[in-house]
Amino acid sequence: MESTGTNTDLDLVTVPARQGLEAVDIIRRAASQAGGVGPVLHDGSGDTLGFLVPPGTADAWDLPGSACTQTDGRGMRFGDAVSPTAGATGWLLPPDAVGPVTDPEVLRAALGEAARLIEAADNCR
């Protein structure tokens, strides 16, 4: 997929924070994966993380335990690195510190691996 640069018509994959943090670590460790991790949002309560992905991802996203929505640029301001306007949401990984967006296939694989790791850890208790 092509780079979106400062395009604000991106999609947002939202996942539980624990799974999302694991996925960020997985993608970062796998440096050979194309593009790495892009900008990541967190909500103020710490319950969820949101990964910015290329526009059109929401059309085919079907990973259980996650949601993918079209942002249509709502609240996204990349030029000044200001947090989005939605409530107490802020950047975990701001756009100016990482690649343009996260590749959806890389994210899908990382979220699957993260879910398996979390399940294994929870079963060891």
Side-chain angles (χ1 to χ4, degrees), residues 27-95:
I27 295 169
R28 285 186 152 180
R29 283 192 311 260
S32 64
Q33 294 193 24
V37 67
V40 178
L41 294 161
H42 65 83
D43 66 357
S45 65
D47 293 335
T48 62
L49 289 183
F51 293 81
L52 292 179
V53 294
T57 301
D59 296 338
W61 191 263
D62 61 354
L63 188 66
S66 67
C68 187
T69 56
Q70 296 174 340
T71 67
D72 296 324
R74 291 183 302 258
M76 300 294 175
R77 295 180 287 168
F78 294 143
D80 56 7
V82 173
S83 294
T85 57
T89 299
W91 295 112
L92 176 68
L93 297 174

Side-chain angles (χ1 to χ4, degrees), residues 13-41:
V13 173
T14 307
V15 298
R18 186 175 175 200
Q19 184 181 14
L21 290 170
E22 286 288 342
V24 167
D25 287 343
I26 290 165
I27 295 169
R28 285 186 152 180
R29 283 192 311 260
S32 64
Q33 294 193 24
V37 67
V40 178
L41 294 161

Side-chain angles (χ1 to χ4, degrees), residues 73-122:
R74 291 183 302 258
M76 300 294 175
R77 295 180 287 168
F78 294 143
D80 56 7
V82 173
S83 294
T85 57
T89 299
W91 295 112
L92 176 68
L93 297 174
D96 58 344
V98 293
V101 292
T102 303
D103 180 283
E105 292 307 312
V106 170
L107 180 58
R108 181 183 300 278
L111 289 172
E113 184 177 342
R116 290 187 294 278
L117 289 171
I118 291 168
E119 182 178 2
D122 289 349

